[in-house]
Amino acid sequence: MAKTSLTGFIQKLLPLLRKQWPKTLCEVNHHNAYELMVGVILSAQSTDKAVNELTPALFKKYPSPTAMAAATPLDVEKMVHRSGFFRAKTKNILGACRMIVQKHGGQVPKTLEELVELPGIGRKSANVIMGAIHGIPTGIVVDTHMIRLSGRLRLSKEEDPVKLEKELCAIVPQNEWIYYSQGMVLHGRYICVARQPRCWECYLAPICPYPDKTPPPVGDKIKPAPKETITGLPIRLDASKVRDVH
């Protein structure tokens, strides 16, 4: 599909996505940039739900980059063990906090360029922080959900996160990058899931070119969708589109 056609498709998609997700949130619970930074490091190869369960105790003991920078690796490893890859994550968290103390006066940096210099923070994580904390659209967050949905919607065949982000940024208006990132990730987690996407409840179904749409379930063959996200956002379901998914 040509860029002009893709841009037009995005203009149709965004209002429908807003119907499904009128409000969005980053699903890593946080109160400040430090907590979000640690949370996104821990979320690698884990789930936001699991991370949200262990971080309250972690932040109670280590409430700031300065406190975390002085922590012993073994203690942090014990506290984040359930997130998986705990040794590597602990090394990155401590390394990031020590760099923040030594180079940034104990404050998480506020630019993309400085964030990606921190251990454990790549471009995706930096985009998350810049958008959720500062409201600055530095790029589009590309994770497994964004890659899957971009393929299903025929926006791109690209699976490399950096290349896909570049392609998406060229067709999505910059003032929509933060919403698009959060909305599409939520959509991929709760509606357009990897197996048996919930097409009969999807506001995007009328324009979605994905050929293998899941038909409406009969009886109890498919588990009902949750009514809200892990952060308490309501999951709006579009039952009126049932006829369009066959």
Side-chain angles (χ1 to χ4, degrees):
M1 197 182 299
K3 179 181 176 181
T4 53
S5 298
L6 290 173
T7 302
F9 182 82
I10 290 294
Q11 293 301 322
K12 295 178 182 178
L13 181 148
L14 283 167
L16 297 175
L17 189 64
R18 287 187 183 279
K19 284 186 177 181
Q20 194 116 45
W21 303 101
K23 183 179 180 182
T24 61
L25 285 173
C26 172
E27 294 215 290
V28 175
N29 287 342
H30 61 278
H31 297 94
N32 51 53
Y34 159 66
E35 291 186 359
L36 182 55
M37 180 196 72
V38 173
V40 295
I41 291 175
L42 291 174
S43 68
Q45 305 299 316
S46 185
T47 65
D48 291 347
K49 184 176 185 294
V51 171
N52 291 343
E53 289 172 352
L54 64 86
T55 49
L58 182 69
F59 295 143
K60 183 177 181 179
K61 187 167 187 179
Y62 303 108
S64 67
T66 301
M68 182 64 78
T72 60
L74 184 59
D75 187 49
V76 177
E77 286 177 2
K78 290 179 180 178
M79 298 188 75
V80 305
H81 185 276
R82 287 186 295 134
S83 71
F85 301 96
F86 60 94
R87 290 191 179 90
K89 291 178 181 180
T90 296
K91 182 179 179 180
N92 285 335
I93 290 170
L94 295 183
C97 287
R98 287 165 183 166
M99 183 179 289
I100 288 169
V101 170
Q102 295 166 6
K103 190 174 180 180
H104 302 287
Q107 301 297 314
V108 177
K110 298 180 180 180
T111 69
L112 182 78
E113 294 73 20
E114 291 173 318
L115 283 170
V116 296
E117 292 180 349
L118 300 176
I121 300 297
R123 184 174 175 86
K124 181 190 81 171
S125 298
N127 282 333
V128 170
I129 296 169
M130 291 300 295
I133 297 296
H134 305 298
I136 299 175
T138 52
I140 289 175
V141 177
V142 175
D143 65 356
T144 55
H145 300 296
M146 188 68 78
I147 293 171
R148 183 176 69 255
L149 268 63
S150 296
R152 286 179 175 175
L153 291 167
R154 302 296 186 265
L155 296 174
S156 175
K157 295 180 180 179
E158 187 58 66
E159 295 188 358
D160 177 84
V162 175
K163 293 179 180 177
L164 176 56
E165 182 188 357
K166 184 177 180 179
E167 291 185 5
L168 292 175
C169 286
I171 60 175
V172 178
Q174 186 172 4
N175 64 343
E176 298 282 8
W177 286 358
I178 297 173
Y179 172 78
Y180 187 82
S181 296
Q182 295 180 348
M184 289 291 275
V185 168
L186 288 173
H187 205 66
R189 286 180 177 173
Y190 297 100
I191 302 294
C192 195
V193 295
R195 296 183 180 181
Q196 291 189 312
R198 310 184 71 85
C199 304
W200 70 95
E201 296 170 331
C202 178
Y203 277 92
L204 308 185
I207 66 169
C208 177
Y210 182 59
D212 301 321
K213 293 184 176 68
T214 308
V218 178
D220 59 355
K221 288 185 178 180
I222 296 182
K223 183 180 179 181
K227 294 183 178 181
E228 61 181 26
T229 68
I230 61 171
T231 54
L233 290 180
I235 300 175
R236 300 184 66 184
L237 307 177
D238 189 10
S240 68
K241 297 298 184 289
V242 167
R243 64 182 180 278
D244 296 317
V245 301
H246 292 292

